Amino acid sequence: MKPLFEHVVLGALKASNRIIMAPLTRARATREHVPTQIMAQYYAQRASAGLIISEATGISRQGVGWPYAPGIWSEEQVNAWKPVTRAVHDNGGLIIAQLWHMGRMAHSAVTGQQPISSSATVMPGDAHTYDGKKPFEVAHPLTQGEIPGLIADYVQAAKNAMAADFDGVQIHAANGQLMDQFLRDNSNMRTDEYGGSVENRVRLLEQVTRAVANAVGADRTAVRLSPNGESYGVDDSDPAPLFMAVAKMLNDIGIAFLELREPPPNGTFGATDVPRLSPLIRKHFKGPIILNSDYDMTRAQADLHSGLADAISFGRPFLANPDLVERLQKGAPLNEDNMETYYSQGAEGYTNYPTLAESQAPLT
């Protein structure tokens, strides 16, 4: 029995409950990708989560192509993150930094550089930029000589996260981002040791994960994957053997936990008919597994009780409900999220969602 409200050990971290805050891009940093004071208030409001996984945070200027998203490659950014982590810790919470490189999903209008990827492909659709939407660009295929520099960027970002007093890091290898572009065969068309076979396509994620784990500790290193179905134009023709190999590799490294985003067929923010791969991954990854996407209390408790999951991460419910843990515990109604304010730069739809106590307070 693993009810949502019991503690869980995630590597070096002991979470007070199994309700994890999933990474949520909110675009409240500066144009130079420096965290702002309002972000400290936002994360502190949600510190009752067993663990907060931060919004995706750029490991380099090349890697963060989302307007007003934060980064963690500079001393200024590290210093600006410290009030955020302090606010979470002062409110009894834990927070790890999600390390992000967008690859071909970045745009030169934001980064000032041509995007990179595993191969010379183009992300479908349009990119968000400071000047509105623009068509995505052809990516520069990363050369073997450039790969050590990319790995070094991940390592430095991980060290910076620890210097900013995060409790650990998560490597973002899901949702069509750079690591996902190397993993899956419709975006990776390489013929060198990083392409072709499953073993080769897994190679970069293994090198990045080992390097980060060596730098900050495997017990403070996590990975996020989205194994079932297409994600932002990235897909695989045979995902089961690919992600089985990834699971075995991450198990060998001994990472703190693995988070899986698995949209269901009727998903509200992404859907797929590809069966979820968590039952297969569970057989090969023996550490804690956190599952994500469209969970309610019933589904969450069922997957915990079955042993498929050790914790559940909630995204949009945390966006609109700073006190989500209390609301779930009491069976209270949830605030609805306002999509129009997901990526705006103010407090509206960010820090002004009412708690249960505020919702029930009498009008004066």
Side-chain angles (χ1 to χ4, degrees):
M1 299 291 284
K2 298 177 181 177
L4 274 174
F5 308 103
E6 287 187 355
H7 79 269
V8 61
V9 176
L10 303 170
L13 307 180
K14 184 175 180 179
S16 60
N17 58 67
R18 297 168 189 263
I19 300 169
I20 310 304
M21 180 173 166
L24 294 162
T25 295
R26 301 307 312 277
R28 261 64 176 193
T30 69
R31 190 164 176 150
E32 291 73 37
H33 307 293
V34 178
T36 54
Q37 183 57 43
I38 197 173
M39 291 168 59
Q41 180 184 354
Y42 168 78
Y43 282 111
Q45 288 175 338
R46 290 153 179 80
S48 60
L51 173 67
I52 294 172
I53 304 172
S54 83
E55 62 204 279
T57 301
I59 65 167
S60 63
R61 187 172 296 279
Q62 177 197 68
V64 58
W66 193 274
Y68 301 106
I72 197 160
W73 65 84
S74 73
E75 184 178 359
E76 182 183 11
Q77 292 164 337
V78 170
N79 289 333
W81 272 114
K82 288 180 180 179
V84 179
T85 58
R86 186 183 311 120
V88 172
H89 294 151
D90 286 349
N91 283 273
L94 297 169
I95 182 169
I96 65 173
Q98 189 187 62
L99 305 182
W100 192 29
H101 195 303
M102 297 177 71
R104 71 180 191 178
M105 292 182 68
H107 195 283
S108 63
V110 179
T111 65
Q113 306 173 44
Q114 182 184 3
I116 67 167
S117 188
S118 54
S119 303
T121 59
V122 182
M123 163 80 183
D126 296 320
H128 291 271
T129 78
Y130 294 111
D131 302 312
K133 291 187 176 182
K134 295 179 182 289
F136 282 103
E137 302 161 306
V138 177
H140 162 68
L142 202 64
T143 69
Q144 287 197 43
E146 292 167 326
I147 284 176
L150 174 71
I151 296 171
D153 284 345
Y154 273 98
V155 169
Q156 188 59 57
K159 291 179 177 179
N160 288 351
M162 303 311 292
D165 298 324
F166 281 96
D167 297 296
V169 297
Q170 183 189 65
I171 297 164
H172 191 354
N175 301 2
Q177 312 300 314
L178 180 62
M179 290 295 103
D180 210 14
Q181 292 160 33
F182 268 83
L183 285 175
R184 301 209 259 180
D185 62 11
N186 88 325
S187 52
N188 185 340
M189 302 161 190
R190 301 174 73 99
T191 57
D192 63 4
E193 63 185 40
Y194 291 93
S197 68
V198 164
E199 179 185 11
N200 284 355
R201 284 183 279 130
V202 169
R203 191 181 309 277
L204 181 60
L205 179 59
E206 178 174 10
Q207 291 177 338
V208 167
T209 306
R210 286 193 184 279
V212 168
N214 287 338
V216 303
D219 58 354
R220 293 187 183 271
T221 301
V223 172
R224 185 180 226 234
L225 301 171
S226 52
N228 68 317
E230 181 270 340
S231 186
Y232 294 98
V234 174
D235 204 353
D236 197 83
S237 61
D238 193 8
L242 169 63
F243 287 100
M244 180 178 66
V246 173
K248 289 179 177 178
M249 176 268 291
L250 296 175
N251 187 72
D252 289 344
I253 295 173
I255 63 171
F257 66 85
L258 176 59
E259 185 191 16
L260 305 176
R261 180 180 183 269
E262 296 187 300
N266 58 345
T268 57
F269 206 71
T272 178
D273 292 328
V274 178
R276 60 181 184 164
L277 294 180
S278 47
L280 172 67
I281 289 171
R282 172 84 282 178
K283 294 177 181 178
H284 300 285
F285 182 79
K286 303 307 180 184
I289 288 180
I290 298 175
L291 297 185
N292 168 262
S293 202
D294 282 289
Y295 273 91
D296 56 19
M297 279 284 288
T298 301
R299 277 192 68 216
Q301 295 285 35
D303 280 353
L304 290 172
H305 289 158
S306 72
L308 184 62
D310 297 281
I312 305 295
S313 65
F314 296 83
R316 284 167 296 140
F318 259 118
L319 183 155
N321 298 274
D323 57 343
L324 180 65
V325 175
E326 179 185 1
R327 289 175 182 264
L328 292 178
Q329 209 158 17
K330 294 180 176 178
L334 303 184
N335 297 324
E336 292 188 13
D337 55 282
N338 178 7
M339 189 176 292
E340 293 182 2
T341 59
Y342 278 7
Y343 312 121
S344 57
Q345 276 67 68
E348 183 182 359
Y350 189 60
T351 55
N352 70 338
Y353 283 107
T355 64
L356 186 60
E358 290 166 344
S359 300
Q360 295 173 341
L363 295 175
T364 58

